[in-house]
Amino acid sequence: MNRRDFIKSALWGAAFLGGGLHLREILAAPPFPTHEKTVFVNLLLEGGPDFRHLFVPPFDSNKQSYGYQYWSARATSHALELKDEAFEKRWQEYLRVERDGVVFGIHPTAAWLKEAFEAGKVAIVNNVLHSNTRDHAHSLLVLQSGDYATSPHEVSRSGWGGRLAKAAQGNVLSMTPHITMFCNGPHPTNALGHDNSVVLSAATTRPFALAYPDRLKTEPAYMGDDAVMARALRSYYEAKRQELDANSPYARFLTHEKALREFGDAISKRLDNIAIPEPIKALYGSDAATAMANKRFGEELRNLYDSFACADLVNLRIASLIYGGWDSHKWQKDSIEPKFKDIFGKDRGLDTFMRELKTTMPEAQERVVFAISGEFGRQLSSNGDRGTDHGRGNTVLLIGEKVKGGIYGEMFPQSEIPRFQQPGEDIEGRTSFERVFGEICEWIQIGTADTVFPKRKDSAAEQGVPFEQLFKK
Amino acid sequence: MQRLNLFCVWMIALWFIWMGGCGEKTDPLPDGGNNRTEYTISKAEWTETAVRKVLHTFAYGGFASDQQIKAWSEMEPQDAIEDILSAKVFNKRLSPPDPVDNLQDRGGTLQALRTFWASTDASNPTHPDAIKNYSFASWNVAAETWFSAVKRRGLNPVRQALGFWETNYHLCVNLSVGVSPQQALAYYDRIMDGIAENKPYQTILAEAALSAAVATQYNHKDNVFKDGKFSGNEDFAREFHQLFFGILGGYDHSYHEFTTIRNTAKALTDMVVVRGKEGTSSFWDDQITYGTKLHYPGGLEILKQEIGGNSAKEKIEKLAAVAIQHSESLANLPVIIVNGLADDNLNDEKLQIIRKIWADLQTKDLLAFLRRYAISTAFHNATRVKYWSSINRLVLTHNLMSLGNKETYLGAFDLSNAFYNEGVSPFRPNHDVFGSQTGREASLTADIFKRAYNRSVSGVWEYVRISITDKQDKNKILWEKDWTSHLPKNADGSYRVKDTAEWLWNRFVADGLKNFGSLERAHVYALLASGSDFAYWINKNDPLKVYTKTEIETDRLLIDRIQDVEKARLDGLSSADAKEKQTANKRIGLAIAFITATPYMFAQEGK
């Protein structure tokens, strides 16, 4: 018996038994929906995150070893003196993890991530090729479209999130201030265009609806200025929808109005009865001990929570989040470590979100998977400005109850050792992102991977890595 | 009292006469013969609507009178565009001075204006409580200065539109990552002075690249070449080519990555920016010096050319001259400019025109390019679509709503808060060096649409505000809205619903009434004539009824009502009764709130 059935049967039982108090208690239960469908959340770390700062190899005094070469090449981005003792000390600050014979450290601010990894809920997929250029704008288009062939000027293409939502017959909800290409749905006839009928903007869930004065609900002829405008615009848009050509450049605004009108009231009604959990509220508050450095990301997590609370209303299958500011050319340590803490720290972003989701909507928490990636990675060695410059390959993280945790792909490739001292060298992209993201598609809806990523079967894959095992069956 | 009023009227009349004469004497009509190209539209296509589309795109609508717009439309397009698109601090025909602040006497750069608005000068109309916003101690001083500049008559709105695009998109700097407001304002002024002086674009880009603001933004102020080794980052070395010039490396990716970018980083060495101090707070100063001691000695191979020079300044100036002629820049830079400012729907035909206009310019002068483009078949093209960013739309709305500087000083329409509500902020771009929110992003995001729509419903009070009274003395009226100074009169001297509605639509939407269909007219007419929505006006017992276009065009009762009302007089506007006058002006506010929430206020088509 699922939650909804339980409440229904309890209501009937209470009604028959005439148990007034019992009935009130049941009615007071938060009206969360049941969650039977899987949901994929894409978290884009815009700017190119340095996952080699999040995950580090153990220091090794053998100068030919990876563990020595890494620390000496990365000394400035860790703000270290060029001394073995400094490397050793810094390594000791990291949270030591061992898995299948691989020892590595997770940054101390990311304590929740360590716990989740050790609980088998985190897949670290290494050596993923993000783009063949090191250009932010182009690489973002490539990543979000899910096609390495996307040119720098093809800004209107569909995104792989939108294509997956369409294939899975669901919607993609964007928690971000503006819709990104990832969300764009496929256009029925134009391969370089998009159709966003599968996209909903959830940048502000409270309030979600278009403004409509309360008084109009009981007094339709109310003549306040706001009431006059609310009636005039509602009427105008409804009539306009019947006449405007779908190919008009203005049609998208009618689509927005329709979506906000159709979903708005139901969402507002639902959310009126659901309080934002205090720990989530604290993430974007100003004075809580757990307040995040990036308040906007806290609000995105609030929007995500609300989207799960309305998942049945909005047919939630895909969600899109952004955390920006990862382009760490200078003062990398100061710049990205607070961000690690925001996302992966104890009582911070993902920890709080997952805990609250589990408390209120446990079926949803069991069925959600996050993918975390940037448009590219960084170079093997730090630069002369205590930062790192652009590189092509990077790591992708998958997190969730249904993820088969572990390390996928060589964590610290030995082939990098001689390249540490060469300027401009980066992580070799051995695996196409299509291989990784394609598995997400299959998990969301069997048979969708080749629709979303038509070139997946012929794309590169690191030898011996069981990508098909990324999810628990 | 009556005598005093008469005196005021005479003084204002004299001032207008003086301004008109002054404009003719000091600002002769231009000869824009050089702006003509094989793509220039015909005189017949250069209509008032065409002029308005240029003003909406490049001047946030501008502050020109209807008579001036008509006069421009009657000129040859190449001459008119010379007059409209300038980057000087003042352009009297586009933005006539206002006696409220006489900004024509204030220098007109952002730095000079900030100083004026921050001063206790008796002639500064800024509210005493707001003066602190222009102090460098205020975190938002750069944004507040720009907000004030962009909304004031007397200052050139083209300069502010181009200045905003250059410093918040193309050559972006971000106060949130350490650039100081002192640097940002100076950077803005320097770029716009260069454009106004018709400096070659590569010179302006080199000056921007060599500025303290950009050196702080990307931190190459710390790049050095010491003991035979480069130390620093290659962030701006990449973006100099990509963002500034449009060179992505397609000519040879590996060479671009390992030779061009790495050597450009070496060229950007020994650029010293120091900390300045004001009171107790310090900031990165706008001054920058180009040293030789820690600079890479000798020449560097960049873009397959030898770039010599003894300092960053010498090398970057030489490199800019090479970059502007690079095949990728020739192909991409004009597209970056047009895409950023005017067209989100470029196709092969328009790309070819844009690139040809750019290529044909012997000296790559931004204004010359924009003038030629703004009167070309690429701009006045049925396929052109420019989705307004929140910034474009909000400033357009504000500037077309305001009738004089007095109401802007009193904050009748709060631009700063409107920006905040839609998640945009000048000099704190959403995408760091990749710029602020784009029109495309805004158009795809229902949340931004919602915020704009809601502004016309729950925020309608700002549209219908018709007076502001003194905070201490509520009976003392500081300002009253009076649209009669701008609205067209009928031959009999009256104001009519249809004329007023069409005038408002054209003012805000600028489409020559193309999209002002029967549905739009029905709603705007009802608001103007009655202050109520159409459904209520038709039948107050059924106010939620939705009337379709077909019903409006075929139902005899509705047709008759609409035909009657469009001829109706808006006598309240010229009434001696203060209450009637206020009501009539308020209804215009309602009509504007409606128009600005229709889909047509979110984008502009080329034709």
Side-chain angles (χ1 to χ4, degrees):
Chain A
M1 181 183 285
N2 63 30
R3 187 185 187 87
R4 180 180 283 168
D5 293 339
F6 168 78
I7 292 175
K8 269 187 200 166
S9 64
L11 280 168
W12 279 112
F16 278 118
L17 294 170
L21 182 63
H22 188 198
L23 180 60
R24 271 204 301 278
E25 281 171 353
I26 292 162
L27 286 173
F32 293 110
T34 54
H35 292 87
E36 288 161 358
K37 293 175 183 168
T38 50
V39 173
F40 163 55
V41 181
N42 187 59
L43 170 53
L44 170 63
L45 305 188
E46 203 174 28
D50 190 1
F51 282 134
R52 285 283 172 86
H53 195 103
L54 179 64
F55 304 122
V56 298
F59 171 68
D60 186 333
S61 57
N62 173 3
K63 295 197 170 170
Q64 307 308 316
S65 69
Y66 193 100
Y68 188 87
Q69 288 295 318
Y70 169 87
W71 285 103
S72 56
R74 286 301 196 97
T76 62
S77 56
H78 281 279
L80 300 175
E81 283 185 86
L82 266 172
K83 287 181 180 169
D84 289 9
E85 308 87 76
F87 302 157
E88 173 69 36
K89 186 166 178 275
R90 176 70 168 162
W91 154 246
Q92 293 298 339
E93 288 169 12
Y94 272 70
L95 307 171
R96 189 179 188 280
V97 179
E98 185 168 359
R99 182 67 173 261
D100 300 331
V102 179
V103 177
F104 64 100
I106 295 179
H107 193 271
T109 56
W112 174 79
L113 185 66
K114 176 180 182 276
E115 283 177 15
F117 181 79
E118 289 182 330
K121 295 169 187 170
V122 178
I124 301 172
V125 188
N126 296 305
N127 311 316
V128 177
L129 175 68
H130 281 78
S131 153
N132 287 307
T133 72
R134 305 184 192 201
D135 155 1
H136 286 290
H138 185 206
S139 300
L140 278 167
L141 297 181
V142 167
L143 174 74
Q144 297 190 89
S145 65
D147 185 353
Y148 290 104
T150 298
S151 86
H153 301 299
E154 290 173 359
V155 296
S156 287
R157 293 186 63 157
S158 65
W160 74 269
R163 293 198 298 275
L164 176 56
K166 184 83 176 173
Q169 297 179 314
N171 286 324
V172 50
L173 268 75
S174 169
M175 314 298 147
T176 58
H178 58 266
I179 302 288
T180 60
M181 181 192 259
F182 167 79
C183 302
N184 286 352
H187 192 278
T189 55
N190 179 6
L192 296 180
H194 62 269
D195 170 355
N196 278 5
S197 52
V198 294
V199 186
L200 281 173
S201 170
T204 320
T205 46
R206 298 182 188 231
F208 187 90
L210 293 167
Y212 198 75
D214 282 345
R215 198 162 158 186
L216 273 181
K217 291 167 190 164
T218 53
E219 203 181 326
Y222 171 56
M223 280 297 288
D225 292 333
D226 55 347
V228 168
M229 293 310 300
R231 281 196 305 262
L233 287 167
R234 186 191 63 85
S235 168
Y236 168 74
Y237 270 93
E238 193 172 327
K240 193 72 189 173
R241 283 203 292 273
Q242 297 173 33
E243 64 161 283
L244 194 71
D245 190 304
N247 294 317
S248 161
Y250 305 105
R252 61 183 62 177
F253 305 107
L254 300 184
T255 307
H256 294 334
E257 195 271 349
K258 184 168 184 265
L260 291 162
R261 185 80 59 199
E262 282 183 355
F263 292 109
D265 288 345
I267 290 174
S268 296
K269 202 171 165 190
R270 173 77 56 83
L271 294 180
D272 279 351
N273 294 311
I274 296 175
I276 304 164
E278 288 301 324
I280 288 182
K281 217 188 265 184
L283 296 175
Y284 55 90
S286 53
D287 48 5
T290 54
M292 301 207 294
N294 182 336
K295 303 280 186 283
R296 176 62 215 176
F297 184 61
E299 289 175 357
E300 289 192 18
L301 290 172
R302 187 251 349 252
N303 295 339
L304 183 62
Y305 178 86
D306 285 346
S307 298
F308 274 101
C310 300
D312 56 332
L313 304 174
V314 296
N315 197 6
L316 172 68
R317 297 306 305 277
I318 318 290
S320 168
L321 279 74
I322 284 186
Y323 192 128
W326 296 87
D327 194 19
S328 51
H329 291 276
K330 60 185 178 188
W331 295 101
Q332 174 164 300
K333 188 172 183 293
D334 295 346
S335 133
I336 68 173
E337 290 180 3
K339 297 180 174 70
F340 288 151
K341 188 174 182 179
D342 270 2
I343 300 171
F344 303 119
K346 282 290 283 178
D347 297 326
R348 296 304 199 280
L350 294 187
D351 183 15
T352 302
F353 175 79
M354 290 296 229
R355 199 171 54 234
E356 294 307 316
L357 195 64
K358 189 170 187 172
T359 305
T360 53
M361 295 170 265
E363 310 103 315
Q365 195 267 347
E366 282 169 18
R367 290 170 174 79
V368 61
V369 163
F370 282 76
I372 304 176
S373 61
E375 68 267 38
F376 51 51
R378 317 300 297 184
Q379 292 178 12
L380 297 179
S381 306
S382 51
N383 63 27
D385 203 8
R386 293 141 293 204
T388 51
D389 294 323
H390 305 177
R392 290 161 295 182
N394 205 353
T395 293
V396 171
L397 299 180
L398 302 185
I399 302 176
E401 297 288 334
K402 299 294 183 192
V403 168
K404 194 171 173 192
I407 299 168
Y408 294 78
E410 194 177 3
M411 188 94 181
F412 303 115
Q414 295 299 299
S415 58
E416 289 177 359
I417 294 174
R419 295 166 58 221
F420 270 113
Q421 302 309 322
Q422 303 297 319
E425 291 291 327
D426 55 2
I427 296 167
E428 182 194 353
R430 298 174 179 175
T431 298
S432 81
F433 52 54
E434 294 149 307
R435 293 280 176 178
V436 186
F437 299 154
E439 293 302 323
I440 296 171
C441 296
E442 288 299 301
W443 175 71
I444 283 285
Q445 179 85 41
I446 290 170
T448 57
D450 293 334
T451 307
V452 177
F453 296 105
K455 300 170 194 164
R456 181 178 77 117
K457 278 185 180 151
D458 300 324
S459 66
E462 187 170 341
Q463 208 172 5
V465 179
F467 295 106
E468 69 285 356
Q469 292 176 22
L470 276 166
F471 289 89
K472 293 172 187 164
K473 303 295 178 197
Chain B
M1 188 65 185
Q2 206 171 8
R3 212 177 295 164
L4 184 67
N5 284 344
L6 199 62
F7 174 73
C8 289
V9 169
W10 269 107
M11 286 305 290
I12 290 167
L14 281 171
W15 180 80
F16 271 111
I17 291 164
W18 180 79
M19 281 316 305
C22 188
E24 272 174 33
K25 277 179 199 162
T26 59
D27 210 3
L29 288 173
D31 170 7
N34 288 336
N35 299 323
R36 199 161 179 84
T37 69
E38 60 194 291
Y39 305 110
T40 301
I41 56 171
S42 67
K43 179 78 178 63
E45 291 171 289
W46 182 244
T47 59
E48 280 187 50
T49 298
V51 173
R52 285 186 193 275
K53 284 183 187 290
V54 169
L55 295 178
H56 274 51
T57 305
F58 298 106
Y60 297 122
F63 296 112
S65 65
D66 289 350
Q67 292 81 355
Q68 182 59 63
I69 290 171
K70 187 166 185 293
W72 278 325
S73 74
E74 288 166 354
M75 291 163 68
E76 289 295 327
Q78 63 270 23
D79 295 334
I81 204 70
E82 183 83 10
D83 204 26
I84 296 168
L85 292 189
S86 89
K88 291 177 182 153
V89 286
F90 308 118
N91 182 347
K92 286 175 184 169
R93 280 187 281 270
L94 179 63
S95 179
D98 190 321
V100 164
D101 51 9
N102 288 314
L103 290 174
Q104 70 276 17
D105 299 332
R106 308 294 172 193
T109 62
L110 288 193
Q111 291 171 100
L113 291 164
R114 187 209 66 80
T115 304
F116 172 59
W117 287 321
S119 74
T120 51
D121 187 322
S123 62
N124 177 12
T126 304
H127 192 280
D129 293 346
I131 282 179
K132 62 179 185 302
N133 296 338
Y134 303 95
S135 154
F136 278 124
S138 162
W139 79 279
N140 215 23
V141 54
E144 288 297 335
T145 305
W146 185 79
F147 282 135
S148 296
V150 77
K151 64 188 179 187
R152 297 274 150 75
R153 280 167 170 72
L155 299 173
N156 180 1
V158 171
R159 184 177 169 103
Q160 316 315 338
L162 296 183
F164 191 81
W165 181 72
E166 288 290 14
T167 57
N168 283 260
Y169 290 92
H170 179 209
L171 316 173
C172 201
V173 291
N174 184 356
L175 267 63
S176 296
V177 300
V179 175
S180 68
Q182 288 88 342
Q183 289 178 325
L185 295 180
Y187 182 66
Y188 183 104
D189 288 340
R190 203 174 299 122
I191 288 171
M192 291 317 299
D193 286 347
I195 291 172
E197 290 161 17
N198 303 105
K199 281 186 183 174
Y201 204 37
Q202 66 270 25
T203 304
I204 291 162
L205 299 187
E207 284 176 0
L210 289 163
S211 69
V214 169
T216 304
Q217 169 76 43
Y218 292 90
N219 210 41
H220 50 270
K221 61 181 172 51
D222 290 354
N223 285 11
V224 294
F225 193 82
K226 197 177 171 186
D227 303 329
K229 210 176 153 194
F230 167 78
S231 175
N233 75 59
E234 60 183 43
D235 194 5
F236 184 63
R238 179 185 306 278
E239 307 306 359
F240 172 85
H241 296 284
Q242 183 186 322
L243 298 182
F244 280 37
F245 286 91
I247 301 170
L248 308 180
Y251 65 98
D252 183 343
H253 275 301
S254 179
Y255 175 88
H256 188 69
E257 194 62 46
F258 290 98
T259 304
T260 287
I261 290 175
R262 298 198 71 77
N263 284 346
T264 304
K266 288 175 191 157
L268 292 161
T269 45
D270 206 352
M271 300 169 68
V272 180
V273 182
V274 295
R275 304 281 299 175
K277 201 159 188 187
E278 189 167 291
T280 53
S281 59
S282 69
F283 56 90
W284 287 112
D285 199 80
D286 179 53
Q287 300 303 312
I288 184 166
T289 53
Y290 312 103
T292 53
K293 265 189 171 173
L294 298 174
H295 180 70
Y296 184 87
L300 288 161
E301 187 188 324
I302 303 172
L303 297 174
K304 306 207 172 181
Q305 302 235 13
E306 181 74 4
I307 304 295
N310 295 318
S311 66
K313 186 168 189 295
E314 290 179 12
K315 283 197 177 81
I316 293 300
E317 284 172 352
K318 283 179 186 153
L319 177 57
V322 170
I324 199 86
Q325 294 297 344
H326 192 275
S327 58
E328 279 194 44
S329 182
L330 288 170
N332 292 336
L333 187 51
V335 179
I336 290 170
I337 296 166
V338 167
N339 188 230
L341 289 167
D343 197 344
D344 286 314
N345 192 37
L346 288 167
N347 57 22
D348 289 344
E349 177 211 351
K350 288 185 286 181
L351 286 171
Q352 195 190 343
I353 295 171
I354 290 160
R355 286 172 174 151
K356 181 76 167 41
I357 292 174
W358 182 253
D360 285 350
L361 283 170
Q362 283 203 320
T363 300
K364 306 300 182 209
D365 171 345
L366 180 68
L367 276 179
F369 171 69
L370 290 177
R371 285 171 181 151
R372 290 170 191 207
Y373 167 65
I375 55 170
S376 75
T377 52
F379 182 82
H380 300 279
N381 188 302
T383 68
R384 186 178 69 82
V385 179
K386 181 61 195 165
Y387 291 106
W388 297 135
S389 67
S390 294
I391 297 137
N392 283 115
R393 178 172 36 76
L394 289 167
V395 178
L396 255 176
T397 304
H398 176 281
N399 287 3
L400 298 170
M401 276 273 291
S402 87
L403 302 178
N405 285 355
K406 188 165 189 182
E407 62 185 285
T408 70
Y409 281 103
L410 291 168
F413 194 89
D414 189 345
L415 199 50
S416 173
N417 189 46
F419 267 53
Y420 176 78
N421 185 45
E422 295 200 20
V424 286
S425 180
F427 301 106
R428 296 182 195 276
N430 305 54
H431 307 292
D432 196 17
V433 294
F434 300 97
S436 197
Q437 177 209 73
T438 65
R440 180 184 299 279
E441 288 170 346
S443 75
L444 288 172
T445 306
D447 190 69
I448 293 169
F449 169 82
K450 176 176 76 180
R451 287 163 187 270
Y453 177 105
N454 286 354
R455 197 171 176 79
S456 287
V457 180
S458 50
V460 66
W461 58 272
E462 263 194 311
Y463 291 93
V464 300
R465 171 143 56 185
I466 32 100
S467 67
I468 292 178
T469 54
D470 192 285
K471 276 182 186 167
Q472 269 75 46
D473 179 2
K474 296 286 178 200
N475 293 319
K476 187 178 170 191
I477 295 172
L478 299 175
W479 160 83
E480 275 188 295
K481 197 95 181 180
D482 185 358
W483 280 95
T484 57
S485 58
H486 284 62
L487 287 173
K489 278 184 182 170
N490 195 276
D492 64 3
S494 65
Y495 300 99
R496 304 290 177 131
V497 166
K498 180 171 180 278
D499 298 340
T500 303
E502 290 181 350
W503 183 84
L504 286 170
W505 186 270
N506 256 340
R507 183 174 173 87
F508 286 89
V509 178
D511 66 354
L513 306 180
K514 175 185 165 186
N515 295 302
F516 198 40
S518 51
L519 189 61
E520 287 77 15
R521 286 174 185 271
H523 286 281
V524 176
Y525 291 173
L527 290 165
L528 284 174
S530 70
S532 64
D533 47 299
F534 183 70
Y536 182 95
W537 179 68
I538 292 292
N539 178 3
K540 64 181 174 189
N541 294 317
D542 193 7
L544 298 182
K545 178 170 167 54
V546 173
Y547 291 92
T548 65
K549 184 182 177 204
T550 308
E551 285 172 290
I552 287 168
E553 290 177 351
T554 57
D555 184 316
R556 197 63 248 170
L557 174 77
L558 297 179
I559 292 169
D560 290 346
R561 290 285 303 268
I562 291 168
Q563 281 178 351
D564 284 347
V565 79
E566 69 180 15
K567 286 177 272 178
R569 296 163 66 109
L570 296 170
D571 288 339
L573 285 167
S574 48
S575 170
D577 181 280
K579 199 136 184 121
E580 279 183 19
K581 199 172 170 68
Q582 286 185 346
T583 301
N585 276 289
K586 189 183 142 187
R587 287 175 182 175
I588 289 180
L590 285 173
I592 293 170
F594 179 85
I595 291 168
T596 55
T598 66
Y600 304 107
M601 196 63 196
F602 291 84
Q604 183 195 71
E605 289 177 283
K607 264 193 174 171

